[in-house]
Amino acid sequence: MPADRLDFPADRTDRPNRSPRAPDRSLSERSETKGDPGLPTVADALVVASLQAGIPEVLAGSVEVPVRWVHVSDSERVAALLDGGELLLTTGAGWPGAADALTRLVDELADAGLAGIVLELGTRFAVVPPPLVAACRARDLALVTLDREVKFVAVTEEVHRRIIAGQVEALQERQRLHELFTGLSLRGAPVEVVVRETARALRAPVVLEDLAHEVVVADPFDLAEAEVLDGWPGRSRRLPPEWTRVPVAARGTRWGELIALPGPPHPAGPATVLEQAATALALSRLADGEGAWARLRAEGLIAALLGERYVTVADVEARLEASGFPVRGRALYVAVSTAGVSGPRAAEANADADGRTVADVRTLTAEVGSERILLVSLPAGARLPDPLVADLDPGAVSDPAATTAELLAAIPVVRRLARQAAPGSVLRVADRPLARLAAELSGDHRLQEHSARLLAPLIRHDDATDGDLLRVLRAVVAHPGNRTAAATASHLSRSVFYQRLALIADLLGADLDDGETLSALHLALLAHGR
């Protein structure tokens, strides 16, 4: 053999600080180590210059298995010297030639967790024995042949250099992740920020779910939300093997799981990233207390709906369903209260307007400024429970929606109507067709121009005198044909009310007893808002 080749005795291993031999592992157990962070695979090792000089050819097995070390030996008893994950460089000089003996050797190497065999032809075997190829294929053990002689010491140096460089990179990345998530924890970063940074680190979608497998926060990264979340409650119980999940827990209490979908390779490995993020989430959960995730889920969803922070209706539908708010085949309602913060009694509302029991009432609620927004999902055909409606006072409620698109369209209508509700009243969209029309046309510049043109004299007067003409006009259109009720709603005496009425008519040059004029003014007021 050439002088550069190391002639190892059969009882010597080139791997330093060898730990006790690992127990035998089957193919399935070895496969679980695929993609270990910081380690090159057999395929990566084959591209080093010293091995390429031997014209490598893969004859059997997977080359995507990580390589932890390179071992050089020609002994048939080499399996006893392996820890698992080694790439074996050999000429096969001490190997048997019988088929059953070669099969037994391959079984021993596979059971020891060998990553792969690189066999240099020409010393022991001129051609590869077919039983060797068959045995490696049966155990999915990588078998690579070299047609030309190579320097095994050069191969060892190159592959080990890659291994060490990968491990250094992994250590550096772990430190960076530790600093990132520790900083987020110390600053009290919101849960959604932690999940977003986790997705950015992995360049893959990340989902935080609770113990009921309902999504708390999700960051789809560069995928559509519908692509990630559609069908989530069932999917999370049967995760594909390429997905990674870690628990979010602390002090013996488990709140949920953090799950990453497949993404590009990460130096530290996806499990390490998720573990760091899960620690930050657990600390946040301890600080926020009970119910924090439920509030976060509801507030995040409602904020996304109000701000139209979604791409398609399918994305919204998938997100709602995955969060435990069913929308498919359900009766959906939007309700808005302007009474300020007061806990909704939706959980207690289990009887509809006809007194029938409603067994499956699902709600999402959030405070937005002075409004309390409530989304309700009921079984198809069920009506909104009376206790829930009464709790809205003052406020407004939509008609039942059968689809997510109808639910989204109802939100601005109900919010606008709720602002018109007087104390002691809950307005229904079905009873306010003009308000619905104004809300549906709110984005049309022609409606805004109509409102500005009609109301401009009154707005200028009120701004200059700190007046109340707009408030009086609202009372008039709210009580057409009943000036007594309108005066009462204006909180003015009848004489002062009629003075204001005459001034409004003069400024507008309009007949306030004309039904068409009142309708036009009513629409202008609805477009103008409060």
Side-chain angles (χ1 to χ4, degrees):
M1 303 296 293
D4 64 285
R5 168 143 321 142
L6 298 181
D7 187 15
F8 292 118
D11 60 350
R12 177 180 174 186
T13 177
D14 68 317
R15 183 176 180 185
N17 300 322
R18 185 171 67 87
S19 60
R21 180 171 179 259
D24 291 350
R25 297 190 298 167
S26 64
L27 169 63
S28 61
E29 291 172 319
R30 288 191 295 113
S31 298
E32 292 176 358
T33 67
K34 291 183 179 181
D36 284 356
L39 294 178
T41 63
V42 173
D44 296 326
L46 294 182
V47 301
V48 301
S50 53
L51 266 181
Q52 283 293 304
I55 312 178
E57 180 181 2
V58 180
L59 298 184
S62 171
V63 293
E64 297 305 321
V65 180
V67 176
R68 295 197 300 117
W69 211 249
V70 176
H71 189 93
V72 180
S73 176
D74 290 333
S75 171
E76 65 176 320
R77 297 190 300 275
V78 63
L81 305 175
L82 302 177
D83 292 336
E86 292 90 350
L87 180 65
L88 177 63
L89 306 182
T90 183
T91 65
W95 284 16
D100 57 345
L102 285 174
T103 301
R104 185 166 55 253
L105 173 61
V106 169
D107 287 338
E108 291 173 353
L109 294 173
D111 290 341
L114 188 71
I117 301 170
V118 177
L119 175 63
E120 184 184 274
L121 302 176
T123 300
R124 171 68 174 87
F125 300 108
V127 296
V128 184
L132 179 62
V133 177
C136 288
R137 288 175 178 171
R139 296 301 302 266
D140 195 25
L141 179 61
L143 174 61
V144 181
T145 59
L146 301 177
D147 286 340
R148 294 179 181 175
E149 186 177 76
V150 301
K151 296 181 178 180
F152 281 3
V153 66
V155 174
T156 301
E157 289 175 351
E158 285 194 75
V159 176
H160 285 181
R161 192 178 300 120
R162 289 200 174 200
I163 292 172
I164 294 171
Q167 293 297 299
V168 170
E169 183 183 7
L171 288 172
Q172 292 173 338
E173 183 62 15
R174 289 189 184 100
Q175 179 63 29
R176 189 192 71 80
L177 291 170
H178 175 74
E179 294 172 356
L180 168 66
F181 290 111
T182 299
L184 292 176
S185 296
L186 293 176
R187 292 196 303 271
V191 171
E192 58 269 29
V193 172
V194 177
V195 173
R196 184 194 67 204
E197 290 303 310
T198 307
R200 288 178 59 184
L202 290 173
R203 300 186 59 79
V206 174
V207 177
L208 173 64
E209 69 171 23
D210 60 20
L211 294 178
H213 301 288
E214 294 175 353
V215 174
V216 179
V217 177
D219 190 309
F221 194 61
D222 58 354
L223 297 180
E225 285 187 299
E227 187 175 353
V228 175
L229 297 178
D230 192 37
W232 182 267
R235 174 188 294 170
S236 62
R237 295 178 178 87
R238 298 180 299 276
L239 284 184
E242 63 271 19
W243 290 18
T244 308
R245 69 198 304 173
V246 300
V248 179
R251 297 179 181 175
T253 302
R254 180 171 176 163
W255 297 290
E257 289 187 319
L258 192 60
I259 301 170
L261 277 65
H266 190 277
T272 298
V273 180
L274 292 185
E275 287 164 1
Q276 295 274 7
T279 299
L281 291 171
L283 293 174
S284 172
R285 182 64 179 77
L286 285 171
D288 293 340
E290 291 296 327
W293 283 6
R295 292 191 299 272
L296 173 64
R297 171 171 42 229
E299 291 170 359
L301 285 168
I302 290 176
L305 299 186
L306 298 184
E308 297 185 357
R309 297 201 296 268
Y310 54 86
V311 178
T312 67
V313 174
D315 289 336
V316 174
E317 188 168 278
R319 187 170 176 182
L320 289 169
E321 289 271 355
S323 300
F325 186 84
V327 295
R328 299 183 181 107
R330 305 275 291 187
L332 309 173
Y333 290 85
V334 181
V336 177
S337 172
T338 57
V341 179
S342 62
R345 299 179 306 191
E348 304 169 10
N350 61 354
D352 68 10
D354 296 326
R356 296 172 301 187
T357 298
V358 180
D360 186 14
V361 180
R362 305 301 296 271
T363 64
L364 290 172
T365 184
E367 305 293 335
V368 181
S370 61
E371 297 175 325
R372 176 159 52 88
I373 311 293
L374 179 67
L375 305 182
V376 185
S377 172
L378 301 171
R383 297 174 59 187
L384 205 60
D386 282 341
L388 189 150
V389 175
D391 192 49
L392 299 172
D393 178 17
V397 63
S398 70
D399 297 336
T403 66
T404 304
E406 292 178 8
L407 178 72
L408 296 174
I411 291 176
V413 178
V414 178
R415 294 185 75 190
R416 187 177 294 272
L417 190 60
R419 298 186 187 111
Q420 304 170 29
S425 66
V426 177
L427 305 180
R428 293 180 180 269
V429 169
D431 302 329
R432 297 294 189 275
L434 199 60
R436 174 187 290 180
L437 177 63
E440 291 175 347
L441 297 177
S442 59
D444 194 316
H445 70 91
R446 291 171 295 182
L447 179 60
Q448 300 304 321
E449 291 169 358
H450 164 80
S451 175
R453 183 174 61 253
L454 281 186
L455 302 179
L458 303 186
I459 294 172
R460 286 194 296 268
H461 179 276
D462 283 352
D463 288 344
T465 64
D466 195 22
D468 58 359
L469 296 187
L470 280 179
R471 180 166 61 84
V472 172
L473 182 58
R474 291 185 192 280
V476 171
V477 300
H479 303 278
N482 190 341
R483 297 298 165 80
T484 300
T488 301
S490 300
H491 305 291
L492 299 172
S493 67
R494 286 178 60 85
S495 59
V496 173
F497 173 75
Y498 278 106
Q499 291 174 9
R500 300 282 199 280
L501 211 58
L503 179 57
I504 291 171
D506 288 342
L507 290 173
L508 296 180
D511 180 4
L512 298 184
D513 290 321
D514 179 70
E516 184 174 344
T517 299
L518 281 181
S519 296
L521 289 171
H522 194 177
L523 185 61
L525 287 168
L526 290 172
H528 179 67
R530 282 193 181 270

